[in-house]
Amino acid sequence: MTDSYPVLLVEDDPVSRRILENILIKEGFDVTTVENGRIAMELFRNRFFPIVLTDWLMPEMEGPELCKAIRNENPEGYVYIVLLTSKDAKADIIAGLESGADDYLTKPANRDELVARIKNGLRILELEKSLKKANEEIRILSITDPLTGAYNRGYLNERLPQEIKRSTRYRHPLSLILSDIDHFKKVNDRFGHLAGDHVLKEFVQCLVESIRNQIDWAARYGGEEFLVVLPETDFKGAMLLAERLRKACSQRIINTHEKQITITASFGVTGFTSEMPGGDISVETLLQQSDTCLYQAKNQGRNRVVGQPL
């Protein structure tokens, strides 16, 4: 556990610094040492240290000032700060804690007490990590379709306007592919709803496998309709991708309850380029155009791609 929590030791006295460093290294910590608060703050801005052990009295920047600076920096995670001090008056201790320190240790530091203070910090950092993980899991659940794993309509409604705004601001292309599984009701009627659910999962997997990770994204638009959003992709590129998706989905064999199911899908494609004025583009316009193209693809016999740029 100590390997994932590097320690920044700030101490201007070289003898004390070496003693503290040796104690922490023997306990398995990755320790970086500096001689004053100013250097510590410069280093902290370039590398995150979740544990900071700092002397109070130092040249250029004292310990309490360093504590305040770290708290004001708004780092990526919580920083557990222990203030080393020869001051033991209650007013001094309170002032140190109010500056942002989590704990204090009277100098000269006792080895066992120092290790106990740091281990207490580790417990707090582990609790923070667990809380972050739980919050992230909740966030993912809130934006994900529980059946297919694609993003849900709420995420689509929030993210698509952002994508349009970014693309128009920087004059980059953006394309949409709206897809619909052909005759999906027949799948449910013939094989049952559990099989239908499996088909939906496999269809989304087919989409996700063919798009760029962390750039393109897919969302459940409704029922068996799914929208693929393609930042930095022009209309021609989107048409080529839609055709690849159509072929991949039609060739995919879906195994469920000892039955093999094949499906086809129809695709409506639209998009805009840097030449189009940003004021003419809206979420409603893009979705309506992709929906119109999808409707045409279905009317023309399904299992095909129809597109029209804005």
Side-chain angles (χ1 to χ4, degrees), residues 13-217:
D13 180 65
V15 175
S16 297
R17 187 167 66 243
R18 186 61 181 271
I19 291 172
L20 292 168
E21 182 183 15
N22 287 338
I23 291 173
L24 294 171
I25 288 175
K26 287 181 180 178
E27 289 296 321
F29 288 97
D30 171 20
V31 185
T32 300
T33 65
V34 293
E35 62 270 23
N36 65 59
R38 180 186 60 79
I39 298 174
M41 200 61 222
E42 291 175 357
L43 184 62
F44 187 86
R45 289 191 175 107
N46 294 311
R47 179 187 175 189
F48 177 66
F49 290 89
I51 300 175
V52 175
L53 188 63
T54 178
D55 190 18
W56 184 308
L57 297 173
M58 295 181 295
E60 300 192 50
M61 180 186 281
E62 294 191 338
E65 189 180 352
L66 174 61
C67 291
K68 291 178 182 178
I70 289 174
R71 297 303 182 208
N72 291 333
E73 193 69 19
N74 193 24
E76 62 188 63
Y78 190 73
V79 182
Y80 186 81
I81 306 175
V82 179
L83 197 57
L84 296 168
T85 177
S86 56
K87 300 171 179 284
D88 57 2
K90 283 188 177 180
D92 291 324
I93 293 170
I94 291 171
L97 294 175
E98 287 182 343
S99 71
D102 294 279
D103 208 341
Y104 72 94
L105 195 58
T106 304
K107 297 173 69 173
N110 174 271
R111 178 192 182 94
D112 293 338
E113 191 175 0
L114 170 63
V115 173
R117 292 283 203 277
I118 299 298
K119 286 185 176 178
N120 183 55
L122 289 177
R123 286 192 291 272
I124 292 173
L125 294 172
E126 283 293 313
L127 286 171
E128 188 217 15
K129 183 187 288 186
S130 298
L131 180 60
K132 278 188 172 181
K133 182 179 179 182
N135 287 339
E136 179 61 15
E137 289 173 351
I138 292 171
R139 188 191 73 84
I140 291 173
L141 286 173
S142 72
I143 63 175
T144 304
D145 174 54
L147 175 62
T148 64
Y151 289 115
N152 59 23
R153 188 65 182 264
Y155 181 84
L156 170 64
N157 292 339
E158 178 183 349
R159 178 77 182 276
L160 185 54
Q162 296 172 357
E163 294 282 12
I164 295 172
K165 184 177 181 180
R166 185 191 64 82
S167 295
T168 53
R169 175 186 296 171
Y170 297 106
R171 303 184 69 81
H172 291 176
L174 175 71
S175 297
L176 302 185
I177 300 174
L178 184 59
S179 59
D180 188 359
I181 300 175
D182 296 331
H183 303 296
F184 181 69
K185 184 178 182 300
K186 292 183 178 180
V187 174
N188 282 329
D189 292 343
R190 180 179 177 185
F191 301 104
H193 288 280
L194 288 178
D197 287 348
H198 189 66
V199 166
L200 290 174
K201 294 178 186 178
E202 286 284 328
F203 181 69
V204 169
Q205 186 62 31
C206 185
L207 297 179
V208 171
E209 287 173 356
S210 301
I211 63 178
R212 298 168 296 179
N213 186 34
Q214 297 184 338
I215 300 177
D216 308 329
W217 50 277

